[in-house]
Amino acid sequence: MPHTPLPERHALIELKDQLPEQIVEAGPDLDRLARDSSRYSPQGHPLAVVMATCTDDVVTALAWANRHGVPVSVRGAGTGLAGGAVAYDQGLVISMERCNAIRQIDPVNRLAVVEAGVITADLDRAAREHGLFFPPDPASVETSTVGGNIATNAGGLRCISHGVTRDSVAALEVVLADGRIMHTGTRTRKNVVGLDLTSLFVGSEGTLGVITAATVRLKPIPPGTSHTFRVNFDSIHAAGEAVTEIVNGEAQPEVLELLDTHSVKTIEEFYPSGLTVPKAALLIGQTVGHNAADDAKAITDICARHGGSDVVIAQSDELLEARRLANPALSARGLRVSCDVGVPIGELANVFRGIDEIAAKHNRKISIVAHAGDGNLHPTVEAGDTEAEYAAAEAVIVDISQLAVSLGGTISGEHGIGAVKHHELPIQLDAAVLDTQRAIKQALDPNGILTPDRAI
Amino acid sequence: MPHTPLPERHALIELKDQLPEQIVEAGPDLDRLARDSSRYSPQGHPLAVVMATCTDDVVTALAWANRHGVPVSVRGAGTGLAGGAVAYDQGLVISMERCNAIRQIDPVNRLAVVEAGVITADLDRAAREHGLFFPPDPASVETSTVGGNIATNAGGLRCISHGVTRDSVAALEVVLADGRIMHTGTRTRKNVVGLDLTSLFVGSEGTLGVITAATVRLKPIPPGTSHTFRVNFDSIHAAGEAVTEIVNGEAQPEVLELLDTHSVKTIEEFYPSGLTVPKAALLIGQTVGHNAADDAKAITDICARHGGSDVVIAQSDELLEARRLANPALSARGLRVSCDVGVPIGELANVFRGIDEIAAKHNRKISIVAHAGDGNLHPTVEAGDTEAEYAAAEAVIVDISQLAVSLGGTISGEHGIGAVKHHELPIQLDAAVLDTQRAIKQALDPNGILTPDRAI
């Protein structure tokens, strides 16, 4: 998408007349709202931020931006890791954080209607009052928004059992590039009327429209108590093989995570909790339901057959806390370049082997945290704060992306493409897909104002 | 979409040169392949049918049709009920029935790669050799194709437990309008790279491209034995309330179907099996897994609390056979006009009440067969073989569609829009959705050759 001609700043006067209370033009809020949680920085200064308070504010803002050809970025809570929400130079940021009403919890139909800016964990808590929960569970659940989760089709720790965010979205309220409001989907389980625009907009990362509200699916809280388990492995390949067998077994975990030695050590350094550091990898997980205890036993028995040791099974969430601390602990060590590849579950041992080879080729340590149960890996390369160091780390990441795709996998399992991964798209997508995406984008956003040059 | 100018028949010579063995220009096969299983008839004669034997044949056919502006309909096994696959006058039919190779069964990753023309039940049988099964289970499973199921996002009897066809599709091979081949999706559980073109093409009813192959997800065969159950009700509203409570309970059925008195009587007349005819409705279902027997008991207990009687629980499939006979039996009675509405599960009793009112208003008997567990109803109106009779029945159907949408539902849960329901689209879809669909169609098929004027 080409950048459209930028308006003179005086065009903003028109928007300020319409949204006097919602516009932020300067100050610390502008700086905060110009960024997300990625390493991607704004390439200039946004014209302004619209703190939308309702769908009509978004209508007004987009109609204005479309008239004046102003590039728009859309922001939930800014927890994205791909630079998708980062402000454009002389662009407009639409922040959805004030559109945060839970419009309805409908326990009989297990649906909730929420505005885009609702914090994901707040929706989950509201659902739990009715014996239900909201399945999507990204690590940022306490700060990220439902709208942001939907726009990026967020993953998380429970995807192995509850699917990705798309699986929990029934219907959307969207504002299109020209300011028209569109309602996709229904409140039913089945619906085959027309194109599946709901799925198309989930994960579209702000390129096709602004998601202002959603009807999402809730699930009943599993009965019984949950059990957590942990197992150490001397070989990460053996851990991979154990995961493949677990996923193909009868007892299914709700969560199944892998941390390599380096990641466990780093967590222990920053938040000492007495974790035994494994020789190669730690597998950690959770089972739920009436058979949770038996399932945890069956799963750890499989691990033992693959050389797992130091098995611990417990009835608390504490074991999983270590996993949730991985990101902050690794980040605290300094600059790192990480990725988000996914492979079919049967290729786990092979992807670990391939990563070993890439590490050897580049003579760099690659550490791994993985949502092992769904084949989604976050390999990380530490890098010094120089351009050369950064480029060297980036070359490692590109090799890992190519490896994942060669195994039938993906360059991004849950973080999205945004600005950061945009150059990697041709590794995975063929020319016909790239052209089709651009054709759809052009058809829905002919002036190219919505998150241009990113995601697709 | 406007019909594009029709070519002279001599343009076909060019295509026959390229696909000499694949072209059918006349004979009973042409008549058969010009129709589907709906009441919608071809409005003229197709130019020819291409019996595609591989993806390249589809490439050749579409490139030719696009060059000459020939309208194309795509046909699996012709079991569709919406007229989506019916031939266009002077159009080209692409039949996928000879593209029927199962390219791969990958038990470790629980995936299969199949060509579009594979019979759905054949794929299921191939998967069962590995302890797996293919979840989509439309009533036509023994004759319909995987490609047709995907193109229509087919439903069926097991959607309550296993979702719709879309939930089982991981990746697609598609030929675009201009003959380019596109590969969407991945073999992974998670993938957030670019737009979800896989979901967009599932259920697009031939309007965006021709699906030539798919990577589909398989599931493990549930352990234990399955149990079936049946319960009679004196009130269909009470049956609806029982279903709502069952779906919100802990014990979940794999199948949960409802037949009203008229439907049960009709089945008994055509295939006597000793079914007790209920006063108002028969609820019939299946449970699977280790707790199948307890679950069937728990479900029928709920029914009893809502006035259900004549409870039978059995370990055989026979009880469900009656349900599978409903369509042929009802069809054997003569012309009927049926629909395929869906409502949120909490609205079942309300939709039954509303249908009573519509029946009274039109002074017509409306009989109902329903995938009750997912809120998908097939109300039927019998009609004599005159245009006036048909129009009167159609007016009843439109009222039922409006009722369903007013309850948060859909005008089609699983049969699709095709040609038959095209006039009903505005009942459900707002102007922005209709415009967006058309914009996407125009972007991907600028000459409007693919299933024009249908589905969207």
Side-chain angles (χ1 to χ4, degrees):
Chain A
M1 297 294 111
H3 277 279
T4 46
L6 294 174
E8 304 303 312
R9 177 162 284 270
H10 63 74
L12 191 62
I13 295 167
E14 183 192 326
L15 186 61
K16 283 165 71 179
D17 272 354
Q18 294 178 279
L19 303 173
E21 304 292 316
Q22 294 90 328
I23 298 280
V24 178
E25 280 186 277
D29 239 20
L30 189 75
D31 294 340
R32 174 178 76 82
L33 295 166
R35 295 171 175 276
D36 67 5
S37 302
S38 73
R39 60 182 189 269
Y40 190 76
S41 296
Q43 302 299 303
H45 294 281
L47 209 55
V49 177
V50 172
M51 305 294 293
T53 60
C54 61
T55 303
D56 282 347
D57 287 355
V58 177
V59 168
T60 304
L62 282 189
W64 174 87
N66 196 43
R67 256 191 331 270
H68 295 284
V70 176
V72 172
S73 54
V74 194
R75 194 178 191 276
T79 59
L81 296 169
V86 168
Y88 290 89
D89 187 36
Q90 297 298 306
L92 189 71
V93 177
I94 298 181
S95 166
M96 299 304 294
E97 65 184 51
R98 290 191 193 163
C99 286
N100 61 358
I102 295 178
R103 293 184 188 167
Q104 183 194 37
I105 302 275
D106 173 355
V108 173
N109 293 310
R110 293 181 180 162
L111 296 170
V113 183
V114 295
E115 293 179 356
V118 168
I119 301 295
T120 305
D122 288 344
L123 166 59
D124 186 56
R125 279 185 282 267
R128 283 178 191 271
E129 290 177 22
H130 300 272
L132 302 170
F133 75 104
F134 180 57
D137 177 40
S140 59
V141 66
E142 287 291 347
T143 47
S144 64
T145 63
V146 177
N149 292 170
I150 293 173
T152 56
N153 189 21
L157 267 60
R158 292 192 300 227
C159 297
I160 178 177
S161 46
H162 300 298
V164 294
T165 299
R166 179 175 287 111
D167 300 312
S168 293
V169 180
L172 293 175
E173 178 189 277
V174 173
V175 182
L176 296 169
D178 60 5
R180 279 177 309 156
I181 300 174
M182 177 169 80
H183 295 91
T184 73
T186 62
R187 298 170 67 87
T188 54
R189 288 195 180 214
K190 291 157 85 178
N191 171 36
V192 292
V193 177
L195 302 177
D196 185 1
L197 299 181
T198 307
S199 289
L200 183 68
F201 276 77
V202 175
S204 62
E205 298 191 52
T207 58
L208 303 182
V210 178
I211 295 162
T212 49
T215 304
V216 298
R217 300 188 195 283
L218 308 173
K219 282 191 178 181
I221 297 170
T225 54
S226 63
H227 280 64
T228 52
F229 58 85
R230 52 162 297 172
V231 188
N232 284 347
F233 284 86
D234 292 351
S235 147
I236 193 168
H237 315 125
E241 281 158 9
V243 169
T244 301
E245 189 177 333
I246 291 165
V247 171
N248 280 299
E250 195 182 323
Q252 284 300 294
E254 188 186 40
V255 173
L256 188 58
E257 301 283 314
L258 180 144
L259 302 164
D260 72 356
T261 306
H262 179 73
S263 308
V264 176
K265 267 190 201 153
T266 305
I267 294 168
E268 268 302 293
E269 279 169 32
F270 283 80
Y271 310 95
S273 71
L275 268 182
T276 324
V277 177
K279 212 160 170 185
L282 166 68
L283 208 59
I284 197 161
Q286 181 164 296
T287 53
V288 292
H290 290 305
N291 298 320
D294 289 347
D295 287 348
K297 177 75 170 54
I299 288 167
T300 52
D301 283 352
I302 291 174
C303 292
R305 283 204 299 280
H306 287 270
S309 62
D310 305 300
V311 172
V312 179
I313 298 179
Q315 268 198 54
S316 78
D317 265 356
E318 276 169 40
L319 289 180
L320 274 180
E321 283 308 302
R323 169 62 187 92
R324 294 188 192 274
L325 295 172
N327 265 323
L330 285 163
S331 294
R333 281 184 72 95
L335 193 62
R336 63 194 178 100
V337 180
S338 69
C339 68
D340 172 41
V341 295
V343 293
I345 207 70
E347 303 293 345
L348 269 178
N350 287 332
V351 79
F352 292 143
R353 275 185 205 105
I355 289 172
D356 283 350
E357 286 165 20
I358 290 168
K361 170 184 155 193
H362 290 268
N363 195 23
R364 293 222 159 217
K365 171 82 192 140
I366 301 171
S367 68
I368 296 175
V369 174
H371 305 305
D374 53 37
N376 184 197
L377 283 68
H378 300 308
T380 293
V381 188
E382 288 180 20
D385 197 5
T386 69
E387 234 170 82
E389 271 281 303
Y390 185 84
E394 191 64 37
V396 177
I397 297 299
V398 167
D399 276 3
I400 296 174
S401 290
Q402 277 163 341
L403 168 68
V405 170
S406 76
L407 296 170
T410 176
I411 63 174
S412 183
E414 58 181 17
H415 293 170
I417 298 300
V420 170
K421 288 271 175 90
H422 197 249
H423 65 287
E424 282 194 24
L425 281 180
I427 296 176
Q428 182 174 334
L429 304 181
D430 65 27
V433 167
L434 292 169
D435 287 349
T436 298
Q437 295 191 150
R438 281 185 215 112
I440 292 171
K441 164 76 173 166
Q442 174 69 22
L444 270 56
D445 176 23
N447 296 334
I449 61 159
L450 292 168
T451 317
D453 303 319
R454 292 181 192 162
I456 61 173
Chain B
M1 299 292 112
H3 277 280
T4 46
L6 294 175
E8 305 301 312
R9 177 163 284 271
H10 64 72
L12 190 62
I13 295 167
E14 182 192 328
L15 186 61
K16 282 165 70 178
D17 272 355
Q18 293 179 280
L19 303 172
E21 303 293 317
Q22 294 90 330
I23 297 280
V24 177
E25 279 186 275
D29 239 20
L30 190 75
D31 294 340
R32 175 178 75 84
L33 296 164
R35 296 172 174 274
D36 67 3
S37 302
S38 73
R39 61 182 189 267
Y40 189 76
S41 296
Q43 302 300 303
H45 294 281
L47 208 54
V49 177
V50 172
M51 305 294 294
T53 60
C54 62
T55 304
D56 282 346
D57 287 354
V58 178
V59 168
T60 303
L62 282 188
W64 175 85
N66 197 43
R67 253 189 336 267
H68 295 284
V70 176
V72 173
S73 54
V74 194
R75 194 178 191 278
T79 59
L81 296 169
V86 168
Y88 290 88
D89 188 35
Q90 296 298 306
L92 190 71
V93 177
I94 298 182
S95 166
M96 300 303 293
E97 65 184 51
R98 291 193 194 161
C99 285
N100 60 357
I102 296 178
R103 293 185 188 166
Q104 184 193 35
I105 302 274
D106 174 354
V108 173
N109 294 310
R110 293 181 180 162
L111 296 170
V113 183
V114 294
E115 294 179 355
V118 168
I119 301 295
T120 305
D122 288 343
L123 166 58
D124 187 56
R125 279 185 282 266
R128 282 176 192 272
E129 289 177 22
H130 301 272
L132 303 170
F133 74 104
F134 180 57
D137 177 39
S140 58
V141 66
E142 286 291 348
T143 47
S144 64
T145 63
V146 177
N149 293 170
I150 293 173
T152 56
N153 189 22
L157 267 61
R158 292 191 301 227
C159 297
I160 178 176
S161 46
H162 300 296
V164 293
T165 299
R166 179 175 285 109
D167 300 311
S168 294
V169 180
L172 292 175
E173 178 189 277
V174 173
V175 182
L176 296 170
D178 60 5
R180 280 176 308 156
I181 299 174
M182 178 170 81
H183 295 91
T184 73
T186 63
R187 297 171 67 86
T188 54
R189 287 194 181 215
K190 290 156 84 178
N191 171 36
V192 293
V193 176
L195 303 176
D196 185 0
L197 298 183
T198 307
S199 288
L200 183 68
F201 276 77
V202 176
S204 62
E205 298 191 53
T207 59
L208 303 181
V210 178
I211 295 163
T212 49
T215 304
V216 298
R217 300 187 196 284
L218 308 173
K219 283 191 178 181
I221 297 171
T225 52
S226 62
H227 281 64
T228 52
F229 57 86
R230 54 162 295 172
V231 188
N232 284 347
F233 285 87
D234 293 351
S235 147
I236 194 168
H237 316 124
E241 280 159 9
V243 170
T244 301
E245 189 177 333
I246 290 165
V247 171
N248 280 299
E250 195 183 321
Q252 284 300 295
E254 188 186 39
V255 172
L256 188 58
E257 301 283 314
L258 180 143
L259 302 165
D260 71 356
T261 306
H262 179 74
S263 308
V264 177
K265 265 190 203 156
T266 305
I267 294 170
E268 267 303 292
E269 279 168 33
F270 282 80
Y271 311 96
S273 72
L275 267 182
T276 325
V277 177
K279 210 159 170 187
L282 165 68
L283 208 59
I284 198 160
Q286 180 163 297
T287 53
V288 292
H290 290 305
N291 297 320
D294 290 347
D295 287 348
K297 177 75 170 53
I299 289 167
T300 52
D301 284 352
I302 291 174
C303 292
R305 284 204 299 279
H306 287 271
S309 62
D310 305 298
V311 172
V312 178
I313 299 180
Q315 268 197 54
S316 77
D317 264 356
E318 276 169 40
L319 289 179
L320 274 180
E321 283 308 302
R323 168 61 187 92
R324 294 189 194 274
L325 296 172
N327 264 322
L330 285 163
S331 294
R333 280 184 73 95
L335 193 61
R336 61 193 179 102
V337 180
S338 69
C339 68
D340 171 42
V341 296
V343 293
I345 206 72
E347 303 293 346
L348 270 179
N350 287 332
V351 80
F352 292 143
R353 274 184 207 107
I355 289 173
D356 282 350
E357 286 165 22
I358 291 168
K361 171 184 154 193
H362 290 268
N363 194 24
R364 292 222 159 218
K365 170 81 192 141
I366 301 171
S367 68
I368 296 174
V369 174
H371 305 304
D374 52 37
N376 185 196
L377 283 67
H378 300 308
T380 293
V381 188
E382 288 179 22
D385 198 4
T386 69
E387 233 171 83
E389 271 283 303
Y390 185 83
E394 191 63 37
V396 176
I397 297 300
V398 167
D399 276 3
I400 296 174
S401 290
Q402 278 164 341
L403 167 68
V405 171
S406 76
L407 295 170
T410 176
I411 63 172
S412 183
E414 59 181 17
H415 292 169
I417 297 301
V420 171
K421 287 271 174 87
H422 197 249
H423 64 288
E424 283 194 23
L425 281 180
I427 296 176
Q428 182 174 334
L429 304 180
D430 65 26
V433 167
L434 292 170
D435 286 350
T436 298
Q437 293 190 151
R438 280 185 215 114
I440 292 171
K441 163 75 173 167
Q442 174 68 22
L444 269 56
D445 176 22
N447 296 335
I449 61 160
L450 293 167
T451 316
D453 304 320
R454 294 180 192 163
I456 61 172

